[in-house]
Amino acid sequence: DIQMTQSPSSVSASVGDRVTIMCRASQGIGTWLAWYQQKPGKAPNLLIYAASSLQRGVPSRFSGRGSGTDFTLTITSLQPEDVAIYFCQQAKSFPLTFGGGTKVELK
Amino acid sequence: EVQLVESGGGLVQPGGSLRLSCATSGFTFSSYAMTWVRQAPGKGLEWISAISGGSSATYLADSVKGRFTISRDNSKNTLYLQINTLRAEDTAVYYCAKTYGSGRGGYYYYMDVWGKGTTVTVSS
C-alpha cells in the first residue's frame, strides 16, 4: 500500500499569510494526487487534482505542486473561510489512501 | 446540479448488518466510477470501496474485505454498500463520492462530488 504522510499536522497563521502544506508518498505516484478541504461537520471538497490542476470554482489562491513522492498545497493569502482540515489523497493505485490531515487555524 | 444523497445509516449492534444507499442525480451515473469513504469520529478519511461504471471492477480496503460489498444499479442511478458483521470500529460517517471521470488510462479516482454522509453507529 502507498502511505501518505502530511506535515505539519496543524498550522496557525494570520489572515493574508502564505500557508504551505506538504504531503509525501511512500513510493512514486507521478502526479496522481488530489487535495481536499474539509470544514467542520461538512463533507470534503476537492480543491486540486492531478497534483496541480485547480478544480472548477476553487479560488486561485489555492495551488498545488509536485510529482513523484513530494507534493505541496499552498494558500497564497489565507482567508478566514480557509480555516479547515486539508487532506491529500493518492489516486495511483488501490487501495486509495489519504494523508492524516493538516488543520489550518487562524492566529 | 450533481447531487448525492446517502441513506441507510443508524444504530446497530455488533455483528449486525446495514445496507447503505447513495441516490444520485444530475450526471450520467453509468459513466462514472463511484467510491465510499468513511470517517470515524474525530479521525481522518478512510477509503473503503470503489466500483467502475459498469460494475465490472470492484475494489475493497483490506479492513472491510469479506464483510462489505459494493454494488450499483445504473437503472436507478443508485450506489449501495452492504455492510455485514459490523464491529465497533466501523462506527463512522459514510460518504459516497463521484469520481472525476475517465481517460485513455481508465478512471481517474479523484472524488469531485461528495454526499453529506450517513452515520453508522455500532454499539450494544
Side-chain angles (χ1 to χ4, degrees):
Chain A
D1 298 3
I2 300 174
Q3 310 302 319
M4 306 301 292
T5 304
Q6 282 183 240
S7 61
S9 57
S10 67
V11 58
S12 181
S14 300
V15 173
D17 282 355
R18 182 185 187 92
V19 173
T20 298
I21 299 167
M22 292 181 285
C23 179
R24 174 165 286 175
S26 61
Q27 62 190 79
I29 60 170
T31 57
W32 292 99
L33 186 99
W35 289 98
Y36 301 89
Q37 175 193 65
Q38 187 178 32
K39 297 183 179 180
K42 300 291 188 183
N45 181 49
L46 177 66
L47 299 176
I48 301 283
Y49 63 95
S52 61
S53 296
L54 192 68
Q55 174 69 347
R56 269 177 300 177
V58 174
S60 59
R61 62 180 179 273
F62 291 92
S63 63
R65 294 189 65 178
S67 67
T69 60
D70 292 321
F71 302 86
T72 57
L73 173 71
T74 298
I75 310 172
T76 51
S77 177
L78 187 69
Q79 299 301 305
E81 60 266 32
D82 301 335
V83 169
I85 300 176
Y86 294 83
F87 296 93
C88 61
Q89 175 236 326
Q90 65 83 14
K92 173 69 173 173
S93 64
F94 288 99
L96 306 178
T97 45
F98 290 89
T102 296
K103 189 173 187 179
V104 174
E105 300 173 304
L106 281 178
K107 196 178 286 184
Chain B
E1 181 193 3
V2 175
Q3 288 194 317
L4 309 177
V5 179
E6 302 94 335
S7 61
L11 174 63
V12 62
Q13 292 188 335
S17 298
L18 282 174
R19 188 195 200 200
L20 307 185
S21 298
C22 173
T24 75
S25 60
F27 65 105
T28 305
F29 181 65
S30 60
S31 295
Y32 293 87
M34 298 291 293
T35 67
W36 288 98
V37 174
R38 70 182 179 184
Q39 187 168 36
K43 301 296 185 181
L45 301 171
E46 180 189 14
W47 169 81
I48 52 173
S49 192
I51 186 168
S52 62
S55 303
S56 59
T58 61
Y59 307 91
L60 285 168
D62 284 348
S63 59
V64 304
K65 212 167 277 186
R67 299 189 300 123
F68 290 18
T69 304
I70 190 171
S71 63
R72 63 193 295 162
D73 186 335
N74 287 347
S75 69
K76 295 182 179 178
N77 295 333
T78 301
L79 175 72
Y80 302 101
L81 186 69
Q82 177 69 41
I83 49 180
N84 299 328
T85 321
L86 278 157
R87 306 167 179 164
E89 55 265 34
D90 296 320
T91 293
V93 175
Y94 285 72
Y95 296 102
C96 67
K98 170 186 166 291
T99 63
Y100 186 80
S102 61
R104 286 178 296 176
Y107 291 104
Y108 302 142
Y109 283 95
Y110 308 116
M111 300 162 212
D112 65 347
V113 182
W114 297 63
K116 289 182 173 10
T118 187
T119 300
V120 172
T121 304
V122 184
S123 175
S124 55

